[in-house]
C-alpha cells in the first residue's frame, strides 16, 4: 500500500495548509488544517477534513466494512450499516486519540443481536487493522442499535 501526500499551500490556493493525498489505488483525498486565529498563515481555511478526522473516518470505514462482511458471510439479511465515531484526544502533543466510542446502527431483517455483537467484536479483536492500531493509545468502546427493516 502506498500514498503520496502533497502540500497545496505553495500553489496559490486559498488555504496555506491544504494537502492532497493520492492513493496507490488511484484515488484523491483532500485535507486542510484547522484555522489558526493567532497566526492565520499557519492555519487552514476549513476547506476539507483535517488529517486526524480522516484517520477517524478511515477507522469507521474499516470496522463497518468488517461488520457488513461478517454479517453477510453469516447469511444475515443486512440492509444497512453506519457507525458514528466520537473521540477525545490528548491535550498536549502528540495529540493522539485517547478515547473512541463507536456506535453502530445495523439495519436488516431478522438479524439476531448476538450476531451483530459478534461481528463488532470480531472486527475489533481480529480484523480491523485501524481500530486495533488506534487501540494502542485509545480506549475503544462500542455499542449498537439494531433496526428491523
Amino acid at each position: 500500500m502506498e500514498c503520496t501526500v502533497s502540500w497545496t499551500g505553495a500553489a496559490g490556493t486559498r488555504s496555506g495548509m491544504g494537502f492532497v493525498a493520492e492513493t496507490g489505488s488511484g484515488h484523491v483525498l483532500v485535507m486542510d488544517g484547522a484555522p489558526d486565529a493567532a497566526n492565520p498563515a499557519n492555519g487552514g481555511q476549513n476547506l476539507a477534513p483535517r488529517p486526524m478526522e480522516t484517520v477517524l473516518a478511515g477507522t469507521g470505514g474499516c470496522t463497518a466494512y468488517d461488520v457488513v462482511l461478517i454479517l453477510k458471510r453469516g447469511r444475515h439479511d443486512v440492509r444497512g450499516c453506519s457507525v458514528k465515531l466520537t473521540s477525545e484526544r490528548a491535550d498536549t502533543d502528540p495529540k493522539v486519540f485517547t478515547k473512541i466510542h463507536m456506535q453502530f446502527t445495523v439495519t436488516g431483517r431478522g438479524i439476531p443481536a448476538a450476531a451483530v455483537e459478534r461481528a463488532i467484536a470480531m472486527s475489533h479483536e481480529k480484523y480491523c487493522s485501524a481500530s486495533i492500531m488506534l487501540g494502542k493509545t485509545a480506549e475503544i468502546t462500542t455499542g449498537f442499535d439494531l433496526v428491523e427493516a
Side-chain angles (χ1 to χ4, degrees), residues 52 56 59 86-90 95-102 124 130-141:
M52 288 299 285
L56 197 61
T59 302
T86 53
S87 67
E88 294 180 20
R89 292 177 63 191
K95 294 178 183 166
V96 298
F97 289 111
T98 57
K99 292 183 181 179
I100 300 172
H101 180 73
M102 301 181 186
H124 291 281
S131 65
I132 292 168
M133 181 174 55
L134 289 177
K136 306 289 184 192
T137 63
E139 172 192 346
I140 299 178
T141 57

Side-chain angles (χ1 to χ4, degrees), residues 15 19 25 33 38 52-53 60 68 80 85-86 95 114 133:
S15 179
F19 295 86
S25 60
M52 288 299 285
E53 288 177 323
V68 169
L85 293 89
T86 53
K95 294 178 183 166
M133 181 174 55

Side-chain angles (χ1 to χ4, degrees), residues 92-147:
T92 58
D93 291 326
K95 294 178 183 166
V96 298
F97 289 111
T98 57
K99 292 183 181 179
I100 300 172
H101 180 73
M102 301 181 186
Q103 185 66 34
F104 292 82
T105 300
V106 176
T107 305
R109 283 204 162 174
I111 303 173
V116 175
E117 190 171 15
R118 179 180 173 272
I120 293 169
M122 288 179 68
S123 174
H124 291 281
E125 294 167 9
K126 185 173 183 179
Y127 295 112
C128 181
S129 305
S131 65
I132 292 168
M133 181 174 55
L134 289 177
K136 306 289 184 192
T137 63
E139 172 192 346
I140 299 178
T141 57
T142 63
F144 70 92
D145 298 302
L146 186 53
V147 178

Side-chain angles (χ1 to χ4, degrees), residues 14 21-22 40 71-72 76 79 93-94 124-125 133 143 146:
R14 279 182 47 197
E22 297 177 53
L71 290 172
K72 286 175 73 170
H76 296 289
R79 297 181 177 199
D93 291 326
H124 291 281
E125 294 167 9
M133 181 174 55
L146 186 53

Side-chain angles (χ1 to χ4, degrees), residues 9-99:
T13 60
R14 279 182 47 197
S15 179
M17 292 305 284
F19 295 86
V20 173
E22 297 177 53
T23 68
S25 60
H27 299 280
V28 174
L29 173 69
V30 177
M31 295 172 282
D32 194 14
D36 184 345
N39 192 345
N42 288 339
Q45 297 293 316
N46 200 31
L47 299 175
R50 304 198 197 348
M52 288 299 285
E53 288 177 323
T54 63
V55 170
L56 197 61
T59 302
C62 184
T63 190
Y65 178 97
D66 290 341
V67 169
V68 169
L69 187 61
I70 291 164
L71 290 172
K72 286 175 73 170
R73 285 185 175 162
R75 300 195 194 328
H76 296 289
D77 188 2
V78 62
R79 297 181 177 199
C81 179
S82 64
V83 58
K84 180 178 181 178
L85 293 89
T86 53
S87 67
E88 294 180 20
R89 292 177 63 191
D91 292 329
T92 58
D93 291 326
K95 294 178 183 166
V96 298
F97 289 111
T98 57
K99 292 183 181 179

